[in-house]
Amino acid sequence: METAPHAYFFGYGSLVNRGTHDFTAAHPARLKGWRRRWRPTNLREVAFLSVVEDTGTIIDGLIAPVPDADWHALDLREGAYDRVPAEHMVEHPLPHRPQIAVYAVPGYGARTAMEERGHHLLLSYIDVVIQGYLREFGPAGAQHFFDTTDGWEVDVIDDRAAPRYPRACTLTQGETDVVDAGLASLPVRMKRA
């Protein structure tokens, strides 16, 4: 008899798009007390999607088993992030109570101005994330992503025609329309690639 995995991580960005990974045992879940924020680091010009503590917010995402229960390997893969224990903050459909962590860019409680550092967002990455939210949580889930994510006051590089994001996905016209409408309601500055 196979035992259930006891180590999971909560994904709130590209992991929500099942077309970007092979975590077949991923499940919809909700993280209480955190919201998403675009965070710059000195590792690259493109900002990372991260989470910051916010007691009044709940975000949707997926939980997935840590491959081979090897936290060290996952920590290396998520090298720009700190692993934060979160099992007491995650609502999920699993019948058991596994260990769950969320990854956050260090300094996740601080506010920074990405535009002052020259950081930007890639439209191809935003496309992937919103497609995932649409497919997992529907239009309301995609809108909730926009509503519970901070740091939009920055340039978005329109690389849709020649994606720079390594796990870029092709969107339907309807999905593209949702992304474009969502961004149009935010203080982003669209720039050509």
Side-chain angles (χ1 to χ4, degrees), residues 16 27-30 60-62 131-142:
V16 176
H27 301 279
R30 302 186 84 199
D60 296 320
L62 296 183
Q131 182 183 59
Y133 275 89
L134 282 167
R135 292 181 178 185
E136 290 292 328
F137 303 105

Side-chain angles (χ1 to χ4, degrees), residues 7-59:
Y8 284 75
F9 64 103
F10 179 88
Y12 49 85
S14 61
L15 179 71
V16 176
N17 190 324
R18 293 178 190 264
T20 67
H21 59 81
D22 58 2
F23 297 115
T24 56
H27 301 279
R30 302 186 84 199
L31 178 65
K32 299 180 290 186
W34 295 78
R35 68 186 294 116
R36 285 171 295 269
R37 179 186 306 268
W38 294 104
R39 297 283 304 179
T41 75
N42 57 7
L43 299 176
R44 62 182 182 177
E45 289 181 14
V46 177
F48 287 80
L49 189 59
S50 186
V51 287
V52 296
E53 292 180 87
D54 182 347
T55 57
T57 303
I58 298 174
I59 61 173

Side-chain angles (χ1 to χ4, degrees), residues 35-38 49 114-115 121 126 130 145-156 182-183 186-189:
R35 68 186 294 116
R36 285 171 295 269
R37 179 186 306 268
W38 294 104
L49 189 59
M114 285 185 285
E115 59 271 20
L121 312 179
I126 297 168
I130 297 303
F145 174 88
F146 286 121
D147 293 343
T148 57
T149 304
D150 295 331
W152 294 107
E153 304 82 7
V154 68
D155 293 344
V156 173
L183 291 176
L186 296 167
V188 298
R189 296 180 300 267

Side-chain angles (χ1 to χ4, degrees), residues 7-10 34 51 66 69-76 78-87 99-106 108:
Y8 284 75
F9 64 103
F10 179 88
W34 295 78
V51 287
V66 175
D70 187 351
W71 281 113
H72 179 70
L74 189 58
D75 289 347
L76 290 174
E78 302 293 331
Y81 295 85
D82 286 342
R83 177 170 26 116
V84 180
E87 54 270 359
Q99 178 184 19
I100 303 173
V102 63
Y103 283 88
V105 173
Y108 50 83

